[in-house]
Amino acid sequence: MNLPGYPYHQTLEQRSGQPQRRPVVIVGAGPVGLTLALDLARRDVPVVVIDDSDRIGEGSRAVCWAKKTLEVFDRLGVGEAIARDGVRWQRGRVFHGEREAYAFDLLPEAHHKMPAMVNLQQDQVEARLARAAQLDGRIELRGRHELIGLEQDSDGVTLNVRTPDGLFDMRADWVVGCDGARSPTRSLLGLSFQGQVFEDRFLIADVRLAPGVRPRGLDPARPERWFWFDPPFHRGQSVLLHAQADGLWRIDFQLGRDADTEAERDAGRIKARVAAMLDSDGFELVWSSIYQFCCRRAERFRVGRVLLAGDAAHQVSPFGARGANSGVQDADNLGWKLAAVLRGEGSDALLDAYEFERIEAADDNIGHSTRATDFISPKSALSRRFRRAALDLAARTEFAKPLVNSGRLSLPSAHVDSPLSTPDADPWAGGPGPGCPAPDAPLDGGGWLSERLRGGFALLAFGWPVNVERLPVITLPGEGLAATRYGARPGSVVLLRPDGVVAARWHRFDADAVSAALLRAHGRPNE
Ligand SMILES: O=C(O)CCc1cccc(O)c1
């Protein structure tokens, strides 16, 4: 697949020396920056995205795109292509040695538009996002623009940028740093990035198999996530296997703390590890990398008019696929808030709520990631003994299965304490409460609820229609799958935010209560 570039062009702004004021400048054209750019543009906010490179980074890096992320991509017009071109999966199997200890199904229930997970190489996802951005006249994608200075005042932000033609200044109302774990934006804000560095080294190998070679019997037509603790082909360590698009496979080998990183980079050595795992040398090594990871986050996600999203704000281990997925969900959370503030419909408190909600989500992800990493690489004799017992017992008893942790896969976080939510006034027997992700559901006449929402506020009315000024109402049956997923009964109404989060819900419609909840969800609770 051809990866689109975004070649450097000198702009009028540079030639004239007169900064042109922009509503939003995004720093970083990775999946998070491009998602945010598309989200803002779809809300009619013009965006400039700058990146120090002029092309999509090569290599597959992130692989697994979770249901919520696919729903965001779908709303932005690229989800169906990504779900079609990637590898769909929902089952995972965890082995101890050669014996299966644990199996899971991420989405046992049918009737969802987007699958539980799609594996697609990060460069291919970025390519689809970048192409969509290049086709949108409201987005300007500028390559070889390196951010080297940031200054803000009450009115806006001045960005000092280095290009092949020298330095120049840009001016924006808001700046969002989506510029990765080494984020220049975060450094220029002087924010700390603290957490835990894990000592274990891991090797990633992307390989293409010769026809007929099946990784340890796995059927490529029924892809699953396979994880081994202490397998016979890589004693004392762990291994993770995923199918990717275009016949590629991702293998992660744990190498341990004392691994000699330089020696491990040797292609012959990598191939020997892959051959031992496949029991065959019928493969081509396409890409490899050695990594060590951190679980950490920036102390703030907002400093005045500058915000952080994705790896610039938080970092986790790959296990659980929580890195890129939570970054895209940051963008989903931020886009509508920034647009509402720019339009004067939402108060500045919305951006504090972005920080509050996404710090909550980052801490949740970091907690999951740290627990998985502690299980995968135990640090004491006691934790090693616990792990061995859990793995032995899991193969034989139900109660021990949940103790096995090879990475709990990414789910959207609930923003339970969000200042934008209105707490339940009456008891609900089930369904997502305020702050929780809203489930999709099939519609009676065909199509999906998510297709009707399309990124705005909406009121779901179960059983019969209701009327609220300037708020789209979607009437759904009072019984059936959608009502069950929402815990609704005839007469219930549920207010959804543009990022698919429940803002409030009632068992009986009250127009004043809905209006008050809508104001609260815009960061204007006292009006
Ligand atoms: O299955 C998982 O837990 C994550 C798989 C993954 C994600 C990102 C990079 C990588 O090497 C593996």
Side-chain angles (χ1 to χ4, degrees), residues 261-300:
T261 310
E262 272 324 298
E264 293 294 348
R265 284 190 212 287
D266 175 67
R269 193 156 169 161
I270 297 173
K271 286 183 190 166
R273 292 199 185 285
V274 176
M277 190 233 163
L278 296 175
D279 223 356
S280 163
D281 54 11
F283 65 90
E284 175 200 353
L285 179 62
V286 175
W287 181 74
S288 66
S289 167
I290 304 245
Y291 66 91
Q292 210 185 337
F293 48 75
C294 309
C295 287
R296 55 184 170 174
R297 74 158 165 86
E299 57 186 301
R300 309 285 318 267

Side-chain angles (χ1 to χ4, degrees), residues 349-395:
L350 275 185
L351 301 177
D352 288 337
Y354 164 75
E355 177 179 65
F356 179 89
E357 292 180 351
R358 296 315 293 171
I359 281 185
E360 204 182 24
D363 288 347
D364 182 35
N365 283 317
I366 287 170
H368 276 289
S369 187
T370 304
R371 287 189 290 279
T373 308
D374 286 342
F375 195 87
I376 291 166
S377 30
K379 283 162 204 61
S380 67
L382 186 65
S383 16
R384 256 190 302 279
R385 276 221 301 279
F386 166 77
R387 186 178 93 162
R388 177 157 202 91
L391 285 165
D392 284 344
L393 280 170

Side-chain angles (χ1 to χ4, degrees), residues 302-368:
R302 175 188 186 187
V303 177
R305 292 177 165 273
V306 184
L307 299 118
L308 297 177
D311 282 2
H314 45 77
Q315 226 188 332
V316 288
S317 81
F319 302 104
R322 289 168 179 268
N325 284 298
S326 61
V328 168
Q329 289 159 34
D330 289 344
D332 183 42
N333 187 294
L334 180 56
W336 69 270
K337 292 175 177 163
L338 212 39
V341 170
L342 280 160
R343 276 199 300 270
E345 290 167 7
S347 84
D348 183 83
L350 275 185
L351 301 177
D352 288 337
Y354 164 75
E355 177 179 65
F356 179 89
E357 292 180 351
R358 296 315 293 171
I359 281 185
E360 204 182 24
D363 288 347
D364 182 35
N365 283 317
I366 287 170
H368 276 289

